């Protein structure tokens, strides 16, 4: 009798089960936006994951499929044509292991019913490689800093002892130039600043530093500001970047450190390399930019 009830229950549950369709995405690439800049270095990116949501005609709410590292093939419990499938580009937040936030500086990619959005049980809907772009001004409130280290330039906005190497395309991340900090064996640390005083008056803004780095030494990133009017300037660590033997694009969220400083409306960014083994070394930087936005979703 008990076995019969178990079998009956199993049959009842299985009748409600929708065998999955599958959704495949190879990757997301970033297209150039000439209205922002024509410099290729601004558009270097590392989109490593995606949030996927979908809306179906017979449901009253948006279904969250999930967040997945690229490339991926995932099951979707639906059989039919979706009203839309939206894909939100996500990046690996530097300094926080496993953090994959939707990078709101990039547009989400929305596939509507006019596109191929049919999910069929047992079949795979291939989306291939999708294309996104930086949001334009004023959605990106301000490009506070962009230093591509390229000619023509009267000066470099990241100050000495960082050296501008203007004509070395073989070793640059993009283009012909990059910045290099060189520590001798006798140097313990070596620091440099961005010459700008950055102005972000609204504490609701999201604040990111992007850069490409190749380094034989650890490099620490700092924010400098007064936490209250009339107070002395504090210098707080944002994160330390470990040595990297190849060009790597990083997304550094400045928001937590900015909050610790009580969201000052003006601040500086500075960097310090540490000669931890006493042998000296180099830090190479390219395509350094500081962006703010109020787009959260």
């Amino acid at each position: 009798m008990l076995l019969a009830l178990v079998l009956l229950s199993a049959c009842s549950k299985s009748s409600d089960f929708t065998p999955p369709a599958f959704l495949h995405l190879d990757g997301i690439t970033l297209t150039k936006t000439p209205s922002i800049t024509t410099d290729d270095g601004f558009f270097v990116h590392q989109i490593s994951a995606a949030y996927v949501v979908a809306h179906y005609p017979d449901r009253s709410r948006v279904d969250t499929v999930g967040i997945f590292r690229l490339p991926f093939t995932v099951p979707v419990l639906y059989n039919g044509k979706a009203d839309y499938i939206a894909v939100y580009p996500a990046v690996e937040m530097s300094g926080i292991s496993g953090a994959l936030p939707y990078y709101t500086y990039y547009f989400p990619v929305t596939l509507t019913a006019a596109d191929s959005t049919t999910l069929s049980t047992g079949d795979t809907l291939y989306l291939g490689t999708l294309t996104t772009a930086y949001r334009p001004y004023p959605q990106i409130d301000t490009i506070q800093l962009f230093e591509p280290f390229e000619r023509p330039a009267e000066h470099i906005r990241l100050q000495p002892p960082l050296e501008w190497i203007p004509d070395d395309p073989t070793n640059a991340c993009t283009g012909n130039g990059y910045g290099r900090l060189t520590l001798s064996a006798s140097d313990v640390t070596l620091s440099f600043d961005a010459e700008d005083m950055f102005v972000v008056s609204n504490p609701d803004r999201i604040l990111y530093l992007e850069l490409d780095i190749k380094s034989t030494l650890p490099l620490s990133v700092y924010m400098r500001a007064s936490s209250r009017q009339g107070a002395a300037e504090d210098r707080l660590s944002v994160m330390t970047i470990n040595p990297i033997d190849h060009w790597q694009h990083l997304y550094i969220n400045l928001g937590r450190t900015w909050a610790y400083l009580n969201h000052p409306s003006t601040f500086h960014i500075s960097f310090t390399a540490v000669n931890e083994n006493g042998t000296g070394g180099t830090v190479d930087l390219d395509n350094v930019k500081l962006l703010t936005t109020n787009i959260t979703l």
Side-chain angles (χ1 to χ4, degrees):
M1 181 66 178
L2 178 60
L3 178 60
L5 288 173
V6 170
L7 290 174
L8 180 62
S9 173
C11 290
S12 175
K13 289 182 180 178
S14 64
S15 65
D16 296 333
F17 175 69
T18 301
F22 295 89
L23 185 68
H24 177 85
L25 180 59
D26 289 317
I28 304 174
T29 190
L30 182 65
T31 189
K32 287 181 65 174
T33 310
S35 60
I36 296 177
T37 178
T38 58
D39 192 290
D40 290 339
F42 191 91
F43 304 99
V44 177
H45 66 280
Q46 187 62 51
I47 300 172
S48 53
Y51 288 88
V52 182
V53 302
H55 189 274
Y56 309 116
D58 56 350
R59 300 185 187 178
S60 61
R61 60 180 176 81
V62 174
D63 278 19
T64 300
V65 179
I67 179 171
F68 312 98
R69 287 189 177 273
L70 295 162
F72 59 76
T73 302
V74 296
V76 182
L77 298 179
Y78 191 76
N79 182 50
K81 191 174 184 65
D83 290 327
Y84 65 82
I85 298 171
V87 179
Y88 294 80
V91 301
E92 189 161 351
M93 189 188 300
S94 305
I96 303 180
S97 178
L100 293 167
Y102 161 45
Y103 200 58
T104 58
Y105 300 88
Y106 300 150
F107 280 115
V109 183
T110 302
L111 305 172
T112 67
D115 303 304
S116 178
T117 60
T118 300
L119 297 157
S120 301
T121 295
D123 292 338
T124 300
L125 174 60
Y126 289 94
L127 300 182
T129 298
L130 300 176
T131 300
T132 186
Y134 272 103
R135 296 177 184 271
Y137 178 84
Q139 291 178 314
I140 294 181
D141 296 328
T142 309
I143 300 171
Q144 294 273 349
L145 168 69
F146 176 47
E147 182 50 78
F149 298 99
E150 298 297 333
R151 298 182 188 274
E154 294 180 2
H155 65 277
I156 296 300
R157 295 169 67 183
L158 298 177
Q159 298 178 328
L162 188 73
E163 178 188 5
W164 179 27
I165 312 294
D167 299 303
D168 186 8
T170 300
N171 292 308
C173 177
T174 60
N176 296 301
Y178 57 97
R180 168 165 288 182
L181 186 69
T182 303
L183 278 72
S184 68
S186 61
D187 290 321
V188 178
T189 63
L190 202 56
S191 300
F192 63 96
D193 293 358
E195 69 176 15
D196 308 76
M197 176 182 286
F198 301 112
V199 179
V200 184
S201 56
N202 191 331
D204 293 334
R205 296 301 187 256
I206 300 172
L207 188 61
Y208 266 86
L209 176 70
E210 287 188 54
L211 54 83
D212 293 296
I213 183 170
K214 179 173 65 172
S215 175
T216 63
L217 300 169
L219 180 71
S220 295
V221 182
Y222 295 88
M223 293 184 77
R224 294 192 291 106
S226 298
S227 58
R228 62 186 186 278
Q229 189 172 4
E233 188 177 71
D234 294 314
R235 184 174 187 257
L236 295 186
S237 174
V238 177
M239 67 168 291
T240 296
I241 306 166
N242 292 324
I244 304 172
D245 63 3
H246 59 279
W247 284 109
Q248 179 71 43
H249 191 75
L250 301 184
Y251 297 86
I252 301 173
N253 189 341
L254 302 177
R256 183 169 57 176
T257 306
W258 191 33
Y260 286 156
L261 287 167
N262 198 28
H263 295 108
S265 58
T266 60
F267 58 88
H268 289 88
I269 300 294
S270 62
F271 304 82
T272 297
V274 180
N275 186 11
E276 59 181 358
N277 296 321
T279 57
T282 59
V283 176
D284 292 345
L285 296 177
D286 205 351
N287 306 317
V288 181
K289 57 183 180 282
L290 179 65
L291 306 174
T292 66
T293 183
N294 62 354
I295 303 295
T296 58
L297 294 175

